[in-house]
Amino acid sequence: VQLVESGGGSVQSGGSLRLACVLSGYTHKGYSLAWFRRGPPPLKQREGVAAIDSDGSTVYAPSAKGRFTISQDNAKKILYLQMNNLKPEDTATYICAAEGTNVNPLLDIYNYWGQGIQVTVSS
């Protein structure tokens, strides 16, 4: 299983980006998929941003709710994160994750992780 993110970059405050994560070799069902982020140093803990469970239900961190949308293309095995109205505090490395618990999918208890991709939002 390999998770590869794309779509990151630099954007001004108020702008939008769409991240994509290709889930190569991932065929597991009944688990959640999610996006996490890790802010710039000294922050090192991953923060759950958005998740989608095996039934298609979505959950968002308060900081992302109303601005970010998580979705998936099951046929292409791609996980997306549409990010609108970006703010400087959204600057972070965004990491996709697969095979997590459906009970609390924003907890960083996932079996598969991508390498992460940088998103930088300037004011």
Side-chain angles (χ1 to χ4, degrees), residues 5-11 17 19 35-49 63 67-68 81 83 86-96 115-122:
E5 302 94 340
S6 63
S10 298
V11 65
L17 285 173
L19 304 182
W35 287 96
F36 287 76
R37 67 186 181 187
R38 182 185 290 116
L43 298 175
K44 294 184 178 181
Q45 186 173 2
R46 284 184 296 230
E47 171 195 17
V49 175
S63 59
R67 299 188 299 125
F68 294 4
L81 184 68
M83 303 187 293
L86 283 161
K87 305 174 181 180
E89 51 264 42
D90 294 318
T91 294
T93 298
Y94 285 74
I95 309 161
C96 69
Q115 291 296 311
I117 193 162
Q118 181 65 33
V119 170
T120 302
V121 185
S122 58

Side-chain angles (χ1 to χ4, degrees), residues 8-123:
S10 298
V11 65
Q12 289 191 329
S13 182
S16 298
L17 285 173
R18 188 174 81 155
L19 304 182
C21 175
V22 177
L23 308 166
S24 299
Y26 184 74
T27 59
H28 304 170
K29 298 180 180 180
Y31 297 95
S32 290
L33 304 171
W35 287 96
F36 287 76
R37 67 186 181 187
R38 182 185 290 116
L43 298 175
K44 294 184 178 181
Q45 186 173 2
R46 284 184 296 230
E47 171 195 17
V49 175
I52 184 167
D53 70 16
S54 55
D55 292 329
S57 297
T58 58
V59 61
Y60 297 91
S63 59
K65 202 166 187 178
R67 299 188 299 125
F68 294 4
T69 303
I70 188 171
S71 61
Q72 61 180 339
D73 183 327
N74 287 324
K76 296 182 180 179
K77 297 182 181 178
I78 302 176
L79 181 69
Y80 296 102
L81 184 68
Q82 177 67 44
M83 303 187 293
N84 298 327
N85 190 21
L86 283 161
K87 305 174 181 180
E89 51 264 42
D90 294 318
T91 294
T93 298
Y94 285 74
I95 309 161
C96 69
E99 197 173 284
T101 173
N102 283 334
V103 175
N104 193 345
L106 290 182
L107 288 179
D108 61 345
I109 308 174
Y110 282 75
N111 288 330
Y112 302 103
W113 295 88
Q115 291 296 311
I117 193 162
Q118 181 65 33
V119 170
T120 302
V121 185
S122 58
S123 57

